[in-house]
């Protein structure tokens, strides 16, 4: 979905390096999310933010940090990358809208390889 | 840990046949959603069913929800080769989605 963009799309890094994955959206949504996808494990929530001043840990936040720079921007950082953080990372957005009918819009993903 | 568990893990059918995918979950939900992912790409929302609904249709998609059994099914009718993808169920509680591991659907031309 071109409304949610992620940079870079592919990244190779070495163990111990700090890297940042960026997400931008033009949908005007307040809510943003970071997930990682591993083969056979589906998507798991890393962090989420319901507005610019709100940051919450998800299921697997250890080893990650986030920054919500603006309504449209939500960045994920790996302070010291390790090989088991090799995965496909997705950013998503949502708008509360009608009660109990909130859906998420996903970016194209960033494929990260940690050597 | 995953909330939703899909079944089967993989499904291969002939074009024109119907595809049925199942999802079970463990806790209370506000709604249940199905998403589709083409190889290595972002997920795309297909259909949402609220906890007080039992059945919903959208084009060739039909989703059912049985909250007493904590289960849902997604039916794709008259499948096409372009339906080949991975399908995920996701349960929503307080605006947080928990995804299952996914079902790989292959539709043979």
């Amino acid at each position: 979905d071109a409304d949610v963009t992620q940079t870079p799309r592919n990244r190779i890094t070495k163990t111990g390096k700090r890297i940042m994955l960026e997400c931008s959206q033009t949908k005007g949504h307040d809510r943003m999310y970071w997930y990682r996808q591993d083969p056979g494990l589906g998507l798991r929530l890393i962090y989420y933010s319901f507005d610019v001043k709100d940051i919450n840990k998800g299921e697997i936040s250890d080893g990650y940090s986030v920054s919500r720079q603006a309504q449209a921007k939500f960045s994920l950082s790996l302070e010291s990358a390790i090989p088991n953080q090799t995965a496909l990372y997705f950013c998503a957005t949502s708008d509360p809208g009608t009660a109990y009918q909130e859906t998420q819009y996903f970016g194209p993903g960033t494929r990260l390889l940690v050597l | 840990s995953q909330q939703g568990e899909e079944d089967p893990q993989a499904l291969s059918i002939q074009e024109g046949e119907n595809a049925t995918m199942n999802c079970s979950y463990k806790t209370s939900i506000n709604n249940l959603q199905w998403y589709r992912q083409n190889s290595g790409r972002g997920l795309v929302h297909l259909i949402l069913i609220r906890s007080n609904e039992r059945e919903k249709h959208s084009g060739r998609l039909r989703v059912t929800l049985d909250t007493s059994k904590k289960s849902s099914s997604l039916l794709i009718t008259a499948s096409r080769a372009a339906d080949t993808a991975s399908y995920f169920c996701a349960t929503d509680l307080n605006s947080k989605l928990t995804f299952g591991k996914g079902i790989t659907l292959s539709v043979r031309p």
Side-chain angles (χ1 to χ4, degrees):
Chain A
D1 190 331
D3 296 324
V4 184
T5 57
Q6 293 183 234
T7 55
R9 293 294 312 280
N10 294 279
R11 178 74 183 268
I12 300 173
T13 191
K14 295 182 178 180
T15 297
K17 293 290 187 182
R18 181 182 188 277
I19 66 163
M20 179 182 289
L21 309 183
E22 298 185 340
C23 176
S24 294
Q25 53 113 347
T26 58
K27 299 188 77 67
H29 290 169
D30 284 328
R31 299 181 172 187
M32 298 186 74
Y33 309 80
W34 275 105
Y35 295 91
R36 68 176 276 175
Q37 184 177 29
D38 298 275
L41 290 180
L43 275 75
R44 291 181 291 169
L45 183 64
I46 306 172
Y47 271 96
Y48 63 101
S49 169
F50 282 177
D51 65 43
V52 175
K53 297 181 181 179
D54 175 72
I55 300 289
N56 302 282
K57 293 183 178 181
E59 180 187 352
I60 52 163
S61 59
D62 287 349
Y64 301 94
S65 63
V66 291
S67 173
R68 184 79 185 268
Q69 300 95 325
Q71 185 201 41
K73 296 184 182 297
F74 193 34
S75 300
L76 176 71
S77 293
L78 286 68
E79 297 301 326
S80 179
I82 56 176
N84 77 359
Q85 291 177 313
T86 292
L88 186 54
Y89 289 84
F90 288 105
C91 173
T93 73
S94 71
D95 176 25
T98 305
Y100 306 129
Q101 296 196 82
E102 186 174 347
T103 63
Q104 294 188 10
Y105 298 83
F106 283 79
T110 293
R111 193 171 296 277
L112 175 66
L113 173 61
V114 183
L115 300 174
Chain B
S1 61
Q2 259 70 21
Q3 158 82 306
E5 293 288 340
E6 294 99 339
D7 170 63
Q9 290 186 330
L11 182 60
S12 180
I13 60 174
Q14 201 74 33
E15 202 166 28
E17 294 180 338
N18 295 340
T20 299
M21 292 170 268
N22 302 300
C23 171
S24 60
Y25 59 93
K26 298 175 182 175
T27 65
S28 298
I29 62 173
N30 295 133
N31 64 61
L32 186 143
Q33 305 179 30
W34 286 89
Y35 286 79
R36 165 191 166 136
Q37 182 183 35
N38 288 88
S39 181
R41 298 193 175 187
L43 279 70
V44 175
H45 177 258
L46 293 176
I47 193 166
L48 177 154
I49 186 165
R50 301 201 309 182
S51 61
N52 62 352
E53 297 176 313
R54 292 298 167 258
E55 185 172 317
K56 207 165 178 183
H57 297 254
S58 177
R60 294 185 296 114
L61 304 179
R62 171 179 165 253
V63 64
T64 62
L65 179 64
D66 186 335
T67 52
S68 67
K69 295 181 179 179
K70 290 186 168 58
S71 67
S72 172
S73 67
L74 175 68
L75 171 67
I76 303 175
T77 60
S79 63
R80 305 166 181 169
D83 293 329
T84 294
S86 293
Y87 292 81
F88 294 87
C89 71
T91 53
D92 180 340
L93 185 62
N94 301 325
S95 299
K96 289 192 301 177
L97 291 183
T98 304
F99 288 83
K101 296 178 182 181
I103 296 170
T104 300
L105 173 64
S106 176
V107 181
R108 303 185 301 274

